[in-house]
Amino acid sequence: MRIVLLGAPGSGKGTQSQLLIKAYGVPQISTGDLLREAVARGTELGVRAKAVMDAGKLVDDSIVLGMIRERLAQPDAARGFILDGFPRNIAQAEALQKLLGELGAPLEAVVLMDIEMDVLFKRLTGRRICQDSGRVFNVFTSPPGSPPHCARCNDMPRLLQRPDDREEVIGKRLEVYEAQTKPLVDYYRAAGLLRIVAADADVQTVFDNLCRAVGAPPAAQ
Ligand code: AP5
């Protein structure tokens, strides 16, 4: 499986990536997670990226491309990959095509997680992340205490809100998506790679439709 999950902030890319990892053992490569790790480690790159991310803007292409090049070179990516949050503009998409051409591992599908903008605001303001297990909750749709049982945090999550999930930043992120990322829909449609999945259904329904859209064999329950 070599796919891109394309979609607005809060459309469910991270949630669906976790289910794909569990079902198919393919690594998720999330530029957002890689950047947040750099921020948490306090690296020079992390310090530079933090201000940009907290403002809801896109980090420099050169930084993100360097991270992707390094990550795709790791052995587990030879099994395939789920790109989550990358590419995010046409320049990144062109660079990705070149890189995957060099690796002899072209994309098989690009899935647009299709959802109305008004649903996203609630999803993003409601998102909370357990700082011990990394599990993602939502105070509206999947609050702490909802299944599955989590052994790592013993079902007692210490919850954090992402700085860019504050109401005043969300509008900017959605604006950046419309202006810079949405043009990728036509780009990948023209390349014959685009698949569209309705992302406003419940998590399992979205997952079933996503698997069908990329032609993945039925996942064991
Ligand atoms: P990134 O981390 O990629 O964030 P994003 O694209 O804005 O996406 P999110 O992580 O917010 O949402 P998601 O679609 O994964 O939704 P999730 O599954 O969590 O990027 C952050 C920042 O890093 C960017 O703003 C930028 O600054 C920088 N960056 C990253 N990549 C970059 C790049 N390539 N170039 C330049 N800069 C880059 O779900 C959201 C919530 O909804 C959760 O609470 C979840 O529980 C809930 N939910 C999910 N699915 C459902 C469902 N079906 N029903 C009900 N609730 C649901």
Side-chain angles (χ1 to χ4, degrees), residues 1-167:
M1 180 182 290
R2 294 189 297 273
I3 64 170
V4 169
L5 294 186
L6 175 66
S11 57
K13 304 181 296 294
T15 301
Q16 295 300 325
S17 295
Q18 290 307 312
L19 296 179
L20 288 169
I21 294 170
K22 202 166 157 213
Y24 302 108
V26 177
Q28 168 203 27
I29 301 180
S30 157
T31 40
D33 287 348
L34 292 171
L35 287 163
R36 279 184 288 277
E37 276 164 32
V39 171
R41 286 201 311 273
T43 63
E44 194 190 324
L45 184 156
V47 172
R48 272 198 287 154
K50 181 171 171 35
V52 180
M53 294 170 78
D54 287 357
K57 298 179 187 163
L58 293 187
V59 173
D60 270 2
D61 289 348
S62 59
I63 292 180
V64 176
L65 286 166
M67 289 186 338
I68 283 285
R69 186 178 288 277
E70 220 171 79
R71 184 62 187 86
L72 283 173
Q74 289 175 23
D76 63 340
R79 291 201 304 272
F81 47 78
I82 305 150
L83 290 173
D84 162 6
F86 178 89
R88 235 165 165 110
N89 58 31
I90 300 284
Q92 291 183 9
E94 288 171 348
L96 175 66
Q97 192 184 351
K98 186 162 177 276
L99 176 58
L100 294 180
E102 287 162 14
L103 295 171
L107 286 177
E108 293 165 348
V110 174
V111 181
L112 172 66
M113 306 284 289
D114 194 26
I115 193 161
E116 294 295 326
M117 286 287 161
D118 53 357
V119 183
L120 299 174
F121 193 79
K122 194 171 173 190
R123 284 200 184 174
L124 292 169
T125 51
R127 176 167 50 189
R128 299 289 183 278
I129 299 158
C130 172
Q131 53 182 301
D132 300 310
S133 66
R135 189 173 154 199
V136 176
F137 294 90
N138 193 290
V139 295
F140 303 117
T141 57
S142 52
S146 48
H149 170 74
C150 178
R152 273 187 70 194
C153 65
N154 207 16
D155 281 345
M156 304 260 286
R158 295 190 297 146
L159 298 178
L160 284 178
Q161 184 176 33
R162 266 171 51 176
D164 59 349
D165 280 346
R166 285 173 296 129
E167 286 188 32

